[in-house]
Amino acid sequence: MLKLKLKLIRLSTKLGFTIPQHVFGPGLSIAHWGSIVVHPDARVGNNCRIHSAVNIGVFNGKSPTIGNNVYIAPGAKLFGGITIGDNVTIGANAVVNKDVPSNVTVGGIPAKIISKKDSSELIVKGYERACHILGR
């Protein structure tokens, strides 16, 4: 176990990630390397696609809970004891500090609902592209 933890630390340093173990569910897709910071108390569901310069952090001792099939665009910041629903798209550079219902797109500072369109298309396209690149 110690060997795996050391490997995680080395890879995190090399790639610019601070992503603790057991935060993300299966199907995590990291679109680009560099500058992703996730608090160890955050919880993220299945099939999350996350881009660079994202911060999922603590505020007042509480961290976000994020649902399944969530697309987090570059530069987004999520913090505090908020709940993000399933099939949500979080726009580039959005600052999310309030709960977000399922099946919407949010953006802006502070983030607001900008569309009633869910993220399933973005997640599926990202997964298909990754499979194509990996030859699966």
Side-chain angles (χ1 to χ4, degrees):
M1 188 58 109
L2 180 60
K3 189 174 182 179
L4 288 175
K5 192 166 189 165
L6 289 173
K7 184 176 182 178
L8 174 65
I9 291 168
R10 274 190 236 114
L11 282 173
S12 294
T13 302
K14 181 178 180 179
L15 298 173
F17 301 152
T18 303
I19 301 176
Q21 296 175 316
H22 311 297
V23 170
F24 287 87
L28 170 63
S29 171
I30 300 173
H32 302 282
W33 59 270
S35 187
I36 297 173
V37 179
V38 180
H39 192 273
D41 293 338
R43 292 294 169 256
V44 183
N46 301 341
N47 305 318
C48 177
R49 183 162 172 84
I50 189 169
H51 285 261
S52 63
V54 168
N55 188 321
I56 302 173
V58 67
F59 181 71
N60 285 338
K62 296 181 180 178
S63 296
T65 299
I66 301 169
N68 297 319
N69 305 313
V70 174
Y71 176 88
I72 306 173
K77 311 295 182 254
L78 297 78
F79 58 91
I82 60 174
T83 300
I84 308 298
D86 295 334
N87 307 310
V88 169
T89 300
I90 299 172
N93 298 314
V95 176
V96 185
N97 59 0
K98 294 190 172 144
D99 291 349
V100 176
S102 294
N103 305 309
V104 298
T105 298
V106 297
I109 304 172
K112 295 180 174 125
I113 296 174
I114 58 175
S115 172
K116 300 278 184 171
K117 185 175 181 181
D118 69 38
S119 64
S120 56
E121 185 178 317
L122 294 168
I123 298 295
V124 170
K125 283 184 179 178
Y127 178 76
E128 288 172 352
R129 179 165 167 72
C131 287
H132 176 73
I133 289 168
L134 296 173
R136 293 184 185 167

